[in-house]
Amino acid sequence: MPGIDPDKVPHHVAIIMDGNGRWAKARGLPRTAGHHAGVERVREAVRTAREAGIANLTLFAFSSENWNRPKEEVQDLMGLLRFFIRRDLAELHKQNVRVRVIGCRETIQSDIRPLLIEAEERTVANTGLVLAIAFNYGARDELTRAMRAIAVGVAEGRIDPATITEADIDCHLDTAAMPDPDLVIRTSGEQRLSNFLLWQSAYSEFVFMPCYWPDFDRAAFHEALAEYGRRNRRFGALAAPGLAVGQ
């Protein structure tokens, strides 16, 4: 890929897809138009990730706080999710993409839950890009649910609290068996995590793009990857001369 060292491609990229509403407002369009345009960028982001050799791509699609948005907007977002799965699942499966869904499922609408399960089950054996959709997701909620599960294990005598490690916490998170993100990208110019992958992004690199999500095209993705490739990741230690990113 032009301008990107193949030895410095991140294994896991997580993206906070922000700015759909502002993109639409700047064009005198309803917020829903921004969400529809954003879906097209999801498709392009998946293609770009596969081309770049990225193994894991996590997209922050709908947060647990987004239910507080106007009812009409939430309904439109749910409709877009249904449309995306019904239209794109076959193509993702054909491309050997494995779909995972992270987030709390208990409060998801009953007609959407089976679609999410279908997406996961249909692609579970695929060995290509892992596409994780963060839906009804909040990192504090994720950590709370993980702590509850560990607490149950302690109460039942299956877990010794004195031996709990970071790895034990990892395996109780929604992202269990996925590597932590090497790179977290946020569009729209905002510079915060907004309750996204708080535990997992402890040593992630962050790239904040000024463009709104509907404008985050292939070139913008390449720009973010190139910036990542210029970083010297030390993980709290001194980097050895010539050490490649991610090593």
Side-chain angles (χ1 to χ4, degrees), residues 129-191:
L129 172 71
V130 176
L131 173 62
I133 305 295
F135 181 80
N136 195 29
Y137 175 87
R140 289 184 174 182
D141 172 72
E142 176 190 33
L143 287 166
T144 300
R145 288 186 282 109
M147 295 307 102
R148 286 174 182 161
I150 292 173
V152 169
V154 171
E156 293 178 347
R158 294 181 288 103
I159 298 176
D160 179 356
T163 65
I164 294 174
T165 65
E166 291 184 7
D168 294 316
I169 296 174
D170 282 337
C171 71
H172 284 86
L173 296 175
D174 297 344
T175 53
M178 291 181 65
D180 290 340
D182 303 293
L183 170 63
V184 176
I185 301 170
R186 179 167 186 154
T187 58
S188 85
E190 303 291 350
Q191 299 185 19

Side-chain angles (χ1 to χ4, degrees), residues 80-213:
L80 278 175
L81 177 65
R82 296 184 190 96
F83 178 73
F84 177 80
I85 293 176
R86 288 167 179 160
R87 170 179 162 175
D88 291 69
L89 182 57
E91 182 61 25
L92 291 171
H93 184 43
K94 182 180 178 181
Q95 294 172 353
N96 198 31
V97 173
R98 180 182 177 185
V99 177
R100 290 188 57 170
V101 181
I102 63 173
C104 181
R105 302 192 184 191
E106 283 72 14
T107 57
I108 295 176
Q109 296 176 10
S110 58
D111 67 319
I112 290 180
R113 198 177 302 121
L115 293 176
L116 301 179
I117 294 173
E118 177 190 358
E120 290 185 315
E121 291 183 346
R122 186 172 179 182
T123 62
V124 68
N126 291 347
T127 58
L129 172 71
V130 176
L131 173 62
I133 305 295
F135 181 80
N136 195 29
Y137 175 87
R140 289 184 174 182
D141 172 72
E142 176 190 33
L143 287 166
T144 300
R145 288 186 282 109
M147 295 307 102
R148 286 174 182 161
I150 292 173
V152 169
V154 171
E156 293 178 347
R158 294 181 288 103
I159 298 176
D160 179 356
T163 65
I164 294 174
T165 65
E166 291 184 7
D168 294 316
I169 296 174
D170 282 337
C171 71
H172 284 86
L173 296 175
D174 297 344
T175 53
M178 291 181 65
D180 290 340
D182 303 293
L183 170 63
V184 176
I185 301 170
R186 179 167 186 154
T187 58
S188 85
E190 303 291 350
Q191 299 185 19
R192 56 181 179 272
L193 276 176
S194 295
N195 200 20
F196 181 55
L197 300 180
L198 299 181
W199 173 276
Q200 297 90 334
S201 62
Y203 284 100
S204 301
E205 296 294 323
F206 296 90
V207 172
F208 300 104
M209 303 295 291
C211 61
Y212 296 132
W213 175 247

